[in-house]
């Protein structure tokens, strides 16, 4: 697959893949940068899944308006979009570059007793959450809400906690429409309804 960043073609292949989520694939493009590419409706992961295909179309359409308006000045540990990635025409946003944060663990690991017992003292966990609290407070101060806040969207290095999946964050007229079932506010997500209560 080819994408264009700053007018330069970047060819993406399986060897560069460093992450895969429900909505996008992430690649290491060198220079301590990662590239997040949104899955199109015809992505193999969506074969035979019309709801997922519809969701992909809607997400990509929203990102055409949302990403160019992404807030600036967020705390340094929010992994924000840097440069937009386009198709060959330069008209359709396919994804974006972001800093590549190396040497991390997902926050979820810190809930595993064996991981913590292997040498993660309680004071370190406390420092991680203090750091995360400061980042969340600073994010909210910029009018941005972390809609899909979960233990897989926080990467930890030392006692620094980095927020990822920033493109799903809510700001301005762009609500967060994705969530992780284990973390969703039950007042916002009624499984009997077809839409989120915003």
């Amino acid at each position: 697959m080819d994408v264009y960043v700053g007018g330069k073609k970047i060819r993406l292949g399986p060897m560069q893949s460093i992450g895969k989520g429900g909505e996008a694939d992430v690649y290491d493009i060198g220079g301590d940068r990662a590239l997040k590419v949104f899955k199109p409706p015809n992505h193999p992961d969506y074969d035979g899944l019309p709801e997922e295909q519809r969701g992909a179309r809607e997400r990509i359409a929203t990102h055409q308006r949302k990403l160019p308006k992404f807030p600036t000045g967020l705390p340094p540990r929010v992994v924000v979009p840097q440069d937009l990635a386009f198709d060959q025409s330069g008209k359709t946003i396919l994804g974006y570059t972001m800093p590549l944060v190396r040497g991390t663990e997902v926050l979820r690991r810190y809930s595993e007793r064996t991981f913590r017992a292997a040498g993660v003292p309680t004071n370190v966990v406390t420092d991680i959450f203090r750091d995360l609290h400061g980042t969340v407070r600073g994010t909210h101060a910029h009018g941005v809400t972390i809609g899909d806040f979960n233990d897989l969207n926080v990467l930890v290095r030392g006692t620094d906690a980095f927020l990822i999946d920033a493109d799903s964050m809510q700001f301005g007229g762009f609500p967060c429409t994705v969530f992780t079932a284990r973390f969703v506010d039950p007042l916002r997500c009624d499984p009997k309804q077809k839409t989120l209560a915003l």
Side-chain angles (χ1 to χ4, degrees), residues 27 47 58-59 82 93 100 109 116 122 149 168 171:
Y27 300 88
D47 281 350
E58 290 174 2
R59 269 191 305 280
Q82 291 180 322
I93 297 169
L100 178 56
R109 292 290 315 273
R116 300 247 330 256
T122 301
F149 200 175
S168 72
F171 63 89

Side-chain angles (χ1 to χ4, degrees), residues 151-183:
D151 58 5
L152 292 176
N153 283 344
V154 179
L155 301 179
V156 177
R157 182 174 63 206
T159 57
D160 295 340
F162 297 85
L163 292 174
I164 62 170
D165 197 27
D167 58 271
S168 72
M169 292 180 179
Q170 179 171 305
F171 63 89
F174 300 103
C176 177
T177 59
V178 295
F179 59 89
T180 302
R182 290 182 352 145
F183 291 86

Side-chain angles (χ1 to χ4, degrees), residues 26 112 153 197:
V26 180
E112 298 170 8
N153 283 344

Side-chain angles (χ1 to χ4, degrees), residues 31 59 185 188 191:
R59 269 191 305 280
D185 178 348
R188 299 268 181 195

Side-chain angles (χ1 to χ4, degrees), residues 52-173:
E52 295 294 335
Q53 292 167 348
R54 181 187 57 75
R57 271 190 297 281
E58 290 174 2
R59 269 191 305 280
I60 290 171
T62 297
H63 285 312
Q64 304 309 301
R65 301 182 315 276
K66 181 178 183 179
L67 289 177
K69 295 180 181 177
F70 200 86
T72 59
L74 292 178
R77 283 195 269 290
V78 179
V79 182
V80 297
Q82 291 180 322
D83 297 307
L84 299 179
F86 292 89
D87 65 358
Q88 187 173 8
S89 74
K91 295 179 180 174
T92 302
I93 297 169
L94 302 177
Y96 60 87
T97 67
M98 60 188 165
L100 178 56
V101 185
R102 298 184 188 276
T104 63
E105 290 284 353
V106 292
L107 184 61
R108 177 179 279 182
R109 292 290 315 273
Y110 290 80
S111 68
E112 298 170 8
R113 189 173 302 189
T114 54
F115 179 75
R116 300 247 330 256
V120 181
T122 301
N123 66 310
V124 168
V125 176
T126 302
D127 289 344
I128 290 167
F129 278 96
R130 280 190 180 128
D131 184 72
L132 180 59
H133 178 263
T135 298
V136 170
R137 187 177 56 228
T139 302
H140 289 173
H142 280 83
V144 176
T145 303
I146 309 158
D148 191 17
F149 200 175
N150 67 75
D151 58 5
L152 292 176
N153 283 344
V154 179
L155 301 179
V156 177
R157 182 174 63 206
T159 57
D160 295 340
F162 297 85
L163 292 174
I164 62 170
D165 197 27
D167 58 271
S168 72
M169 292 180 179
Q170 179 171 305
F171 63 89

Side-chain angles (χ1 to χ4, degrees), residues 16-58:
Q16 296 162 282
S17 178
I18 56 171
K20 187 176 191 58
E23 301 163 0
D25 296 320
V26 180
Y27 300 88
D28 181 344
I29 59 170
D32 288 326
R33 291 189 315 157
L35 176 64
K36 183 172 186 176
V37 179
F38 303 112
K39 295 178 183 177
N42 63 351
H43 193 283
D45 288 356
Y46 299 152
D47 281 350
L49 300 169
E51 282 299 310
E52 295 294 335
Q53 292 167 348
R54 181 187 57 75
R57 271 190 297 281
E58 290 174 2

